[in-house]
Amino acid sequence: MEKFWLRLRWALSSHEEPQDESYLVARGFGGKLVLSGNRLTLHRGGIFGLLSTLLGFEGGFVDRVVRVDQIAAIEIDRPALFFRYMRISYPGAPQLTGHDLHDMMAENTILMSLVDNRAFYRVISRIEAMMDGKR
């Protein structure tokens, strides 16, 4: 049975991701963050991107690359009755509107997983270390 789960996990994973230490991936609901070197890439799309586009929200399909030195802030927010989401502030990023649903669907946010968000916190820690000059 364990072999079945390993094969299923391998089949569902993206094979383009290197497994070295300088490469971190955090998968959320409808997207992922990829930290490679000094670049943070925000990928949003899939079925969730299609659904959000059909509902009239902008930013359903986004591939945004931001250098770590351009990041002004990373915030994690949990509005009432919704998923947690991570908001990345950088020059040109959409501003907060004050409406939870619109803010969590902006192009500079990614919805976090319902179960395990350790990868997101590892990405934040790595970015903070890079900003502090430790890495």
Side-chain angles (χ1 to χ4, degrees), residues 27-83:
R27 294 183 190 279
F29 191 72
K32 67 181 178 178
L33 287 176
V34 178
L35 180 63
S36 177
N38 69 339
R39 302 209 182 273
L40 179 68
T41 306
L42 175 73
H43 297 283
R44 291 185 52 186
I47 294 174
F48 187 75
L50 178 65
L51 180 65
S52 63
T53 302
L54 290 175
L55 291 174
F57 295 108
E58 296 199 16
F61 293 94
V62 173
D63 283 329
R64 174 86 56 212
V65 178
V66 181
R67 286 193 337 255
V68 171
D69 62 350
Q70 291 180 327
I71 296 174
I74 298 177
E75 304 160 316
I76 295 177
D77 194 9
R78 183 179 188 162
L81 304 174
F82 291 112
F83 297 96

Side-chain angles (χ1 to χ4, degrees), residues 1-7:
M1 189 67 162
E2 183 178 340
K3 200 174 205 180
F4 168 76
W5 291 112
L6 287 173
R7 285 184 182 174

Side-chain angles (χ1 to χ4, degrees), residues 8-44:
L8 180 64
R9 185 175 175 189
W10 180 82
L12 294 176
S13 67
S14 174
H15 304 295
E16 62 193 48
E17 300 169 0
Q19 298 299 320
D20 62 6
E21 190 177 304
S22 66
Y23 193 87
L24 288 177
V25 178
R27 294 183 190 279
F29 191 72
K32 67 181 178 178
L33 287 176
V34 178
L35 180 63
S36 177
N38 69 339
R39 302 209 182 273
L40 179 68
T41 306
L42 175 73
H43 297 283
R44 291 185 52 186

